[in-house]
């Protein structure tokens, strides 16, 4: 398996930061109009993107790999930009953001209890679910501003998954085969559970996207295969 190295990831994140700084902001003033159920859904995802990432950054620092720690900081900055974009999209639609949501609280507390390797596995669950969600948001509305914002976030998430896969692949290269098999099963189970929670919590929005709960869960679960092969191929 070919790896890029974290210096390359730092350059990738920095190049994207420069591109983003040079690009014009979306035309927020034109407003956004989508169904009420979709706004409720976007509000919940905006909460999930709005963490400060301090816990993950601290664990990356303790790992003793300076380029990786720098790349993690740049990753966190992109996630915070997602929260900013979604917040401005909500504002363009005349919708106020949520102060908190139970699913985000549970997810954050779970991640904070874990070491770097297991936190990244849990984070990857959110990233894989987010890939399908933002694709549905991008393709499932006819509002131009919403489509633009969702497309920009989706493009970032498609870069984030291989970034985390590379670190996890290194971590699991030294894991015994039986442990790797258990991790594979556990990660798939956690991903399925997360997809079911999102499908239940965002069902009305998913129907509005033309996706529906069953298809959403099926698509998320199907997307696990390439991730598992990339991360755990040496451990199983």
């Amino acid at each position: 398996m070919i790896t890029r190295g974290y210096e390359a990831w730092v350059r990738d994140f920095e190049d994207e930061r420069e591109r983003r700084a040079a690009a014009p902001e979306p035309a927020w003033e034109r407003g956004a109009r989508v169904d009420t159920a979709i706004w409720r859904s976007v509000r919940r995802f905006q909460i999930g993107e709005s963490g400060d990432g301090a816990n993950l950054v601290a664990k990356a620092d303790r790992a003793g790999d300076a380029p990786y720690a720098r790349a993690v900081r740049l990753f966190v900055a992109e996630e915070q930009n997602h929260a900013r974009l979604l917040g401005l999209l909500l504002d363009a639609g005349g919708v106020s953001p949520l102060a908190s949501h139970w699913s985000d609280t549970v997810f954050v507390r779970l991640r904070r209890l874990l070491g770097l390797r297991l936190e990244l596995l849990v984070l990857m669950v959110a990233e894989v679910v987010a890939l399908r969600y933002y694709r549905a948001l991008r393709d499932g509305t006819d509002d131009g501003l919403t489509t633009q914002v969702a497309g920009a976030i989706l493009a970032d998430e498609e870069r984030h998954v291989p970034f985390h896969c590379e670190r996890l692949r290194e971590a699991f290269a030294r894991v015994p085969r039986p442990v790797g098999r258990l991790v594979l099963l556990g990660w798939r189970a956690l991903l399925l559970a997360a997809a079911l929670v999102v499908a239940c919590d965002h069902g009305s929005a998913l129907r509005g996207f033309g996706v529906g709960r069953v298809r959403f869960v099926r698509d998320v679960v199907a997307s696990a295969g390439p991730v598992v092969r990339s991360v755990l191929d040496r451990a199983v």
Side-chain angles (χ1 to χ4, degrees):
M1 181 72 66
I2 297 173
T3 60
R4 296 183 57 183
Y6 296 111
E7 294 86 354
W9 280 112
V10 168
R11 290 193 297 272
D12 178 270
F13 281 116
E14 289 179 340
D15 288 347
E16 178 58 24
R17 182 182 61 187
E18 292 178 6
R19 186 208 62 77
R20 188 167 59 243
E25 279 281 294
W28 306 112
E29 67 279 0
R30 73 186 184 191
R33 294 174 180 81
V34 298
D35 185 79
T36 301
I38 295 175
W39 283 133
R40 287 198 298 267
S41 176
V42 170
R43 292 173 84 202
R44 295 168 195 166
F45 264 80
Q46 196 267 344
I47 284 286
E49 300 277 13
S50 60
D52 62 9
N55 194 59
L56 177 61
V57 167
K59 291 175 183 176
D61 285 342
R62 289 195 295 271
D65 184 335
Y68 175 67
R70 172 63 177 161
V72 166
R73 283 176 167 80
L74 293 165
F75 156 74
V76 169
E78 286 195 358
E79 292 290 306
Q80 291 171 337
N81 186 58
H82 297 173
R84 183 187 72 88
L85 291 173
L86 292 175
L88 290 170
L89 179 63
L90 290 169
D91 187 62
V95 179
S96 60
L98 286 175
S100 63
H101 191 261
W102 69 267
S103 60
D104 180 63
T105 301
V106 170
F107 182 74
V108 169
R109 288 180 178 176
L110 175 61
R111 284 175 50 193
R112 287 179 177 174
L113 291 173
L114 305 172
L116 177 60
R117 180 169 58 191
L118 292 179
E119 175 165 355
L120 288 178
L121 281 172
V122 175
L123 179 59
M124 279 292 290
V125 168
E127 297 285 89
V128 171
V129 170
L131 284 175
R132 186 62 186 97
Y133 177 81
Y134 286 118
R135 179 156 58 91
L137 180 62
R138 182 196 64 186
D139 298 342
T141 74
D142 56 6
D143 178 75
L145 190 60
T146 302
T147 297
Q148 182 181 1
V149 169
I153 295 175
L154 178 62
D156 285 344
E157 298 291 4
E158 288 173 341
R159 293 169 38 252
H160 293 172
V161 168
F163 169 60
H164 295 310
C165 281
E166 183 161 330
R167 187 68 182 188
L168 286 167
R169 185 164 55 247
E170 292 177 2
F172 280 90
R174 299 180 297 274
V175 170
R177 286 179 177 271
V179 176
R181 292 190 184 99
L182 288 175
V183 171
L184 185 151
L185 291 173
W187 189 82
R188 284 181 181 270
L190 185 59
L191 180 66
L192 173 59
L196 288 170
V197 168
V198 172
C200 291
D201 203 28
H202 299 257
S204 297
L206 294 174
R207 285 194 297 273
F209 298 148
V211 174
R213 289 185 173 99
V214 173
R215 180 181 168 191
F216 179 83
V217 172
R218 186 175 63 241
D219 289 351
V220 169
V221 171
S223 69
V227 172
V228 168
R229 287 192 293 273
S230 176
V231 172
L232 302 176
D233 59 348
R234 299 179 187 177
V236 296

